[in-house]
């Protein structure tokens, strides 16, 4: 019986030690990245679309965001608009789909989001962007 009690005591100590160590590990910081929508989501070149947040993230007061449109696979923006979001980070801004853009996949993004929001040091934070289709 002594051997069984020692095993139970040892297992109990290991479980307690493990739970104490788990409590010491810091939880990773949560990163808020807004999700965007383009309406209409299949515009023709030269049409005006609304780029808006579908899931907003709070930002410091007075922040100004730059929303850009460019073809997928390219980084040079063809259209740009600036917007000051509401206190909760939500916004909607009108922007013209460039008349010179080729039909196909395009991206609307907040180009300066991580200049304003905080991405934890050492983290890989996602881009605040949405892909949409430019019609013929």
């Amino acid at each position: 019986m002594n051997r069984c009690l020692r095993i139970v005591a040892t297992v109990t100590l290991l479980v307690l030690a493990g739970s104490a160590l788990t409590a010491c590990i810091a939880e990773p910081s949560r990163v808020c990245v807004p999700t965007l929508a383009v309406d209409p989501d299949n515009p023709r070149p030269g049409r005006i679309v609304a780029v808006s947040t579908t899931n907003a993230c709070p930002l410091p007061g007075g922040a100004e965001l730059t929303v850009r449109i460019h073809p997928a696979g390219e980084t040079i923006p063809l259209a740009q608009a600036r917007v000051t979001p509401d206190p909760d980070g939500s916004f909607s801004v009108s922007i013209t789909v460039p008349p010179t853009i080729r039909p196909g996949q395009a991206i609307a993004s907040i180009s300066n989001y991580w200049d304003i929001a905080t991405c934890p040091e050492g983290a890989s934070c996602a881009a605040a962007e949405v892909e949409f289709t430019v019609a013929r």
Side-chain angles (χ1 to χ4, degrees):
M1 194 70 155
N2 273 343
R3 184 170 182 243
C4 288
L5 287 174
R6 278 187 278 153
I7 291 172
V8 169
T10 303
V11 169
T12 303
L13 284 173
L14 289 174
V15 169
L16 291 174
S19 63
L21 288 175
T22 304
C24 292
I25 298 172
E27 288 206 22
S29 298
R30 294 203 179 265
V31 177
C32 187
V33 180
T35 53
L36 305 175
V38 175
D39 186 40
D41 63 353
N42 59 344
R44 295 185 188 282
R47 298 293 301 260
I48 295 174
V49 296
V51 177
S52 58
T53 50
T54 56
N55 181 34
C57 299
L59 292 169
E64 185 178 72
L65 299 175
T66 303
V67 178
R68 293 182 175 174
I69 292 178
H70 60 85
E74 297 180 25
T75 57
I76 298 173
L78 298 179
Q80 178 172 295
R82 296 185 191 282
V83 62
T84 301
D86 293 334
D88 68 352
S90 62
F91 70 85
S92 182
V93 64
S94 296
I95 186 169
T96 302
V97 176
T100 57
I101 197 168
R102 298 180 308 277
Q105 294 307 108
I107 294 174
S109 65
I110 303 172
S111 64
N112 65 333
Y113 185 72
W114 294 117
D115 295 341
I116 297 166
T118 303
C119 180
E121 191 174 321
S124 176
C125 295
E129 63 184 32
V130 64
E131 195 167 308
F132 67 100
T133 303
V134 176
R136 293 191 183 276

